[in-house]
mmCIF file of all heavy atoms in Angstrom:
data_model
loop_
_atom_site.group_PDB
_atom_site.id
_atom_site.type_symbol
_atom_site.label_atom_id
_atom_site.label_comp_id
_atom_site.label_asym_id
_atom_site.label_seq_id
_atom_site.Cartn_x
_atom_site.Cartn_y
_atom_site.Cartn_z
ATOM 1 N N ALA L 819 23.779 -15.303 -18.562
ATOM 2 C CA ALA L 819 24.307 -14.284 -17.643
ATOM 3 C C ALA L 819 25.178 -13.263 -18.369
ATOM 4 O O ALA L 819 25.790 -12.381 -17.684
ATOM 5 C CB ALA L 819 25.129 -15.017 -16.561
ATOM 6 N N GLY L 820 25.286 -13.351 -19.666
ATOM 7 C CA GLY L 820 26.054 -12.327 -20.435
ATOM 8 C C GLY L 820 27.543 -12.605 -20.530
ATOM 9 O O GLY L 820 28.314 -11.702 -20.831
ATOM 10 N N GLU L 821 27.944 -13.826 -20.239
ATOM 11 C CA GLU L 821 29.410 -14.175 -20.357
ATOM 12 C C GLU L 821 29.688 -14.639 -21.803
ATOM 13 O O GLU L 821 28.804 -14.978 -22.576
ATOM 14 C CB GLU L 821 29.691 -15.329 -19.387
ATOM 15 C CG GLU L 821 29.490 -14.989 -17.921
ATOM 16 C CD GLU L 821 30.532 -13.975 -17.385
ATOM 17 O OE1 GLU L 821 31.463 -13.663 -18.137
ATOM 18 O OE2 GLU L 821 30.429 -13.597 -16.199
ATOM 19 N N VAL L 822 30.975 -14.730 -22.068
ATOM 20 C CA VAL L 822 31.461 -15.169 -23.336
ATOM 21 C C VAL L 822 32.121 -16.585 -23.176
ATOM 22 O O VAL L 822 32.966 -16.753 -22.354
ATOM 23 C CB VAL L 822 32.487 -14.198 -23.885
ATOM 24 C CG1 VAL L 822 33.131 -14.745 -25.177
ATOM 25 C CG2 VAL L 822 31.798 -12.890 -24.222
ATOM 26 N N VAL L 823 31.679 -17.534 -23.966
ATOM 27 C CA VAL L 823 32.230 -18.928 -23.856
ATOM 28 C C VAL L 823 32.543 -19.486 -25.227
ATOM 29 O O VAL L 823 31.937 -19.110 -26.270
ATOM 30 C CB VAL L 823 31.193 -19.856 -23.173
ATOM 31 C CG1 VAL L 823 30.921 -19.422 -21.727
ATOM 32 C CG2 VAL L 823 29.914 -19.976 -23.915
ATOM 33 N N ALA L 824 33.497 -20.381 -25.275
ATOM 34 C CA ALA L 824 33.911 -21.013 -26.568
ATOM 35 C C ALA L 824 33.282 -22.403 -26.613
ATOM 36 O O ALA L 824 33.187 -23.132 -25.544
ATOM 37 C CB ALA L 824 35.394 -21.104 -26.722
ATOM 38 N N PHE L 825 32.817 -22.820 -27.790
ATOM 39 C CA PHE L 825 32.146 -24.121 -27.937
ATOM 40 C C PHE L 825 32.439 -24.693 -29.330
ATOM 41 O O PHE L 825 32.689 -23.926 -30.236
ATOM 42 C CB PHE L 825 30.666 -23.990 -27.690
ATOM 43 C CG PHE L 825 29.932 -23.032 -28.611
ATOM 44 C CD1 PHE L 825 29.399 -23.520 -29.830
ATOM 45 C CD2 PHE L 825 29.856 -21.732 -28.375
ATOM 46 C CE1 PHE L 825 28.786 -22.698 -30.713
ATOM 47 C CE2 PHE L 825 29.265 -20.793 -29.231
ATOM 48 C CZ PHE L 825 28.708 -21.319 -30.451
ATOM 49 N N PRO L 826 32.378 -26.014 -29.495
ATOM 50 C CA PRO L 826 32.641 -26.635 -30.805
ATOM 51 C C PRO L 826 31.433 -26.514 -31.707
ATOM 52 O O PRO L 826 30.293 -26.528 -31.260
ATOM 53 C CB PRO L 826 32.902 -28.063 -30.461
ATOM 54 C CG PRO L 826 32.133 -28.316 -29.190
ATOM 55 C CD PRO L 826 32.160 -27.035 -28.426
ATOM 56 N N THR L 827 31.729 -26.290 -33.075
ATOM 57 C CA THR L 827 30.673 -26.476 -34.068
ATOM 58 C C THR L 827 31.240 -27.449 -35.067
ATOM 59 O O THR L 827 32.361 -27.943 -34.873
ATOM 60 C CB THR L 827 30.276 -25.160 -34.776
ATOM 61 O OG1 THR L 827 31.302 -24.884 -35.817
ATOM 62 C CG2 THR L 827 30.179 -23.977 -33.828
ATOM 63 N N GLU L 828 30.497 -27.789 -36.109
ATOM 64 C CA GLU L 828 31.043 -28.748 -37.111
ATOM 65 C C GLU L 828 32.111 -28.080 -37.968
ATOM 66 O O GLU L 828 32.902 -28.830 -38.638
ATOM 67 C CB GLU L 828 29.926 -29.304 -37.980
ATOM 68 C CG GLU L 828 29.439 -28.442 -39.121
ATOM 69 C CD GLU L 828 28.572 -27.257 -38.737
ATOM 70 O OE1 GLU L 828 28.619 -26.773 -37.562
ATOM 71 O OE2 GLU L 828 27.836 -26.772 -39.610
ATOM 72 N N THR L 829 32.234 -26.760 -38.007
ATOM 73 C CA THR L 829 33.250 -26.070 -38.818
ATOM 74 C C THR L 829 34.490 -25.826 -38.038
ATOM 75 O O THR L 829 35.559 -26.386 -38.311
ATOM 76 C CB THR L 829 32.645 -24.799 -39.382
ATOM 77 O OG1 THR L 829 32.263 -23.962 -38.353
ATOM 78 C CG2 THR L 829 31.500 -25.025 -40.358
ATOM 79 N N VAL L 830 34.406 -24.838 -37.125
ATOM 80 C CA VAL L 830 35.524 -24.457 -36.226
ATOM 81 C C VAL L 830 34.902 -24.089 -34.891
ATOM 82 O O VAL L 830 33.673 -24.069 -34.763
ATOM 83 C CB VAL L 830 36.265 -23.182 -36.827
ATOM 84 C CG1 VAL L 830 36.830 -23.463 -38.150
ATOM 85 C CG2 VAL L 830 35.370 -21.960 -36.868
ATOM 86 N N TYR L 831 35.737 -23.896 -33.858
ATOM 87 C CA TYR L 831 35.184 -23.462 -32.541
ATOM 88 C C TYR L 831 34.660 -22.044 -32.639
ATOM 89 O O TYR L 831 35.250 -21.173 -33.306
ATOM 90 C CB TYR L 831 36.263 -23.535 -31.458
ATOM 91 C CG TYR L 831 36.338 -24.943 -30.815
ATOM 92 C CD1 TYR L 831 36.839 -26.011 -31.558
ATOM 93 C CD2 TYR L 831 35.785 -25.171 -29.544
ATOM 94 C CE1 TYR L 831 36.873 -27.261 -30.963
ATOM 95 C CE2 TYR L 831 35.838 -26.432 -28.947
ATOM 96 C CZ TYR L 831 36.401 -27.483 -29.711
ATOM 97 O OH TYR L 831 36.394 -28.744 -29.140
ATOM 98 N N GLY L 832 33.550 -21.781 -31.991
ATOM 99 C CA GLY L 832 32.918 -20.496 -31.949
ATOM 100 C C GLY L 832 33.056 -19.815 -30.546
ATOM 101 O O GLY L 832 33.311 -20.522 -29.576
ATOM 102 N N LEU L 833 33.024 -18.507 -30.571
ATOM 103 C CA LEU L 833 33.142 -17.743 -29.300
ATOM 104 C C LEU L 833 31.813 -17.041 -29.148
ATOM 105 O O LEU L 833 31.526 -16.044 -29.726
ATOM 106 C CB LEU L 833 34.308 -16.712 -29.384
ATOM 107 C CG LEU L 833 34.649 -15.950 -28.124
ATOM 108 C CD1 LEU L 833 35.075 -16.946 -27.048
ATOM 109 C CD2 LEU L 833 35.775 -14.990 -28.423
ATOM 110 N N GLY L 834 30.962 -17.648 -28.236
ATOM 111 C CA GLY L 834 29.567 -17.238 -28.229
ATOM 112 C C GLY L 834 29.131 -16.352 -27.087
ATOM 113 O O GLY L 834 29.676 -16.399 -25.969
ATOM 114 N N ALA L 835 28.145 -15.452 -27.388
ATOM 115 C CA ALA L 835 27.439 -14.703 -26.345
ATOM 116 C C ALA L 835 26.024 -14.450 -26.810
ATOM 117 O O ALA L 835 25.692 -14.647 -27.961
ATOM 118 C CB ALA L 835 28.234 -13.384 -26.149
ATOM 119 N N ASP L 836 25.163 -14.013 -25.831
ATOM 120 C CA ASP L 836 23.791 -13.700 -26.076
ATOM 121 C C ASP L 836 23.689 -12.540 -27.166
ATOM 122 O O ASP L 836 24.165 -11.357 -26.923
ATOM 123 C CB ASP L 836 23.177 -13.237 -24.756
ATOM 124 C CG ASP L 836 21.745 -12.707 -24.906
ATOM 125 O OD1 ASP L 836 21.252 -12.707 -26.056
ATOM 126 O OD2 ASP L 836 21.144 -12.358 -23.911
ATOM 127 N N ALA L 837 23.149 -12.866 -28.300
ATOM 128 C CA ALA L 837 23.097 -11.907 -29.462
ATOM 129 C C ALA L 837 22.150 -10.760 -29.220
ATOM 130 O O ALA L 837 22.163 -9.774 -29.918
ATOM 131 C CB ALA L 837 22.724 -12.575 -30.775
ATOM 132 N N THR L 838 21.337 -10.847 -28.112
ATOM 133 C CA THR L 838 20.380 -9.732 -27.846
ATOM 134 C C THR L 838 20.931 -8.872 -26.740
ATOM 135 O O THR L 838 20.291 -7.901 -26.348
ATOM 136 C CB THR L 838 19.040 -10.322 -27.376
ATOM 137 O OG1 THR L 838 19.224 -11.041 -26.165
ATOM 138 C CG2 THR L 838 18.432 -11.293 -28.461
ATOM 139 N N ASN L 839 22.182 -9.160 -26.253
ATOM 140 C CA ASN L 839 22.762 -8.394 -25.117
ATOM 141 C C ASN L 839 24.025 -7.651 -25.586
ATOM 142 O O ASN L 839 25.108 -8.239 -25.751
ATOM 143 C CB ASN L 839 23.051 -9.438 -24.007
ATOM 144 C CG ASN L 839 23.782 -8.764 -22.772
ATOM 145 O OD1 ASN L 839 24.315 -7.654 -22.910
ATOM 146 N ND2 ASN L 839 23.740 -9.452 -21.683
ATOM 147 N N PRO L 840 23.897 -6.358 -25.808
ATOM 148 C CA PRO L 840 25.033 -5.576 -26.339
ATOM 149 C C PRO L 840 26.325 -5.635 -25.489
ATOM 150 O O PRO L 840 27.381 -5.765 -26.111
ATOM 151 C CB PRO L 840 24.503 -4.117 -26.340
ATOM 152 C CG PRO L 840 23.052 -4.216 -26.229
ATOM 153 C CD PRO L 840 22.664 -5.487 -25.616
ATOM 154 N N GLU L 841 26.175 -5.601 -24.161
ATOM 155 C CA GLU L 841 27.427 -5.695 -23.352
ATOM 156 C C GLU L 841 28.110 -7.088 -23.516
ATOM 157 O O GLU L 841 29.335 -7.106 -23.555
ATOM 158 C CB GLU L 841 27.104 -5.479 -21.845
ATOM 159 C CG GLU L 841 26.827 -4.098 -21.501
ATOM 160 C CD GLU L 841 25.342 -3.814 -21.404
ATOM 161 O OE1 GLU L 841 24.686 -4.398 -20.474
ATOM 162 O OE2 GLU L 841 24.751 -3.135 -22.251
ATOM 163 N N ALA L 842 27.311 -8.104 -23.575
ATOM 164 C CA ALA L 842 27.867 -9.448 -23.785
ATOM 165 C C ALA L 842 28.571 -9.513 -25.080
ATOM 166 O O ALA L 842 29.693 -10.059 -25.184
ATOM 167 C CB ALA L 842 26.753 -10.535 -23.671
ATOM 168 N N VAL L 843 27.967 -8.973 -26.159
ATOM 169 C CA VAL L 843 28.555 -9.042 -27.511
ATOM 170 C C VAL L 843 29.835 -8.230 -27.543
ATOM 171 O O VAL L 843 30.808 -8.619 -28.162
ATOM 172 C CB VAL L 843 27.531 -8.532 -28.530
ATOM 173 C CG1 VAL L 843 28.167 -8.388 -29.906
ATOM 174 C CG2 VAL L 843 26.340 -9.475 -28.649
ATOM 175 N N GLU L 844 29.832 -7.088 -26.857
ATOM 176 C CA GLU L 844 31.011 -6.275 -26.733
ATOM 177 C C GLU L 844 32.232 -7.033 -26.241
ATOM 178 O O GLU L 844 33.351 -6.883 -26.700
ATOM 179 C CB GLU L 844 30.713 -5.097 -25.841
ATOM 180 C CG GLU L 844 31.756 -4.053 -25.711
ATOM 181 C CD GLU L 844 32.307 -3.637 -27.060
ATOM 182 O OE1 GLU L 844 31.527 -3.325 -27.940
ATOM 183 O OE2 GLU L 844 33.591 -3.690 -27.130
ATOM 184 N N LYS L 845 31.968 -7.957 -25.265
ATOM 185 C CA LYS L 845 33.027 -8.760 -24.670
ATOM 186 C C LYS L 845 33.723 -9.675 -25.747
ATOM 187 O O LYS L 845 34.868 -10.013 -25.595
ATOM 188 C CB LYS L 845 32.569 -9.636 -23.511
ATOM 189 C CG LYS L 845 32.142 -8.897 -22.288
ATOM 190 C CD LYS L 845 31.655 -9.859 -21.222
ATOM 191 C CE LYS L 845 30.939 -9.153 -20.120
ATOM 192 N NZ LYS L 845 30.262 -10.181 -19.174
#
Side-chain angles (χ1 to χ4, degrees):
E821 298 288 357
V822 172
V823 297
F825 61 90
T827 82
E828 83 282 24
T829 57
V830 300
Y831 273 71
L833 187 61
D836 174 0
T838 64
N839 178 341
E841 285 99 68
V843 173
E844 186 45 51
K845 291 183 195 168

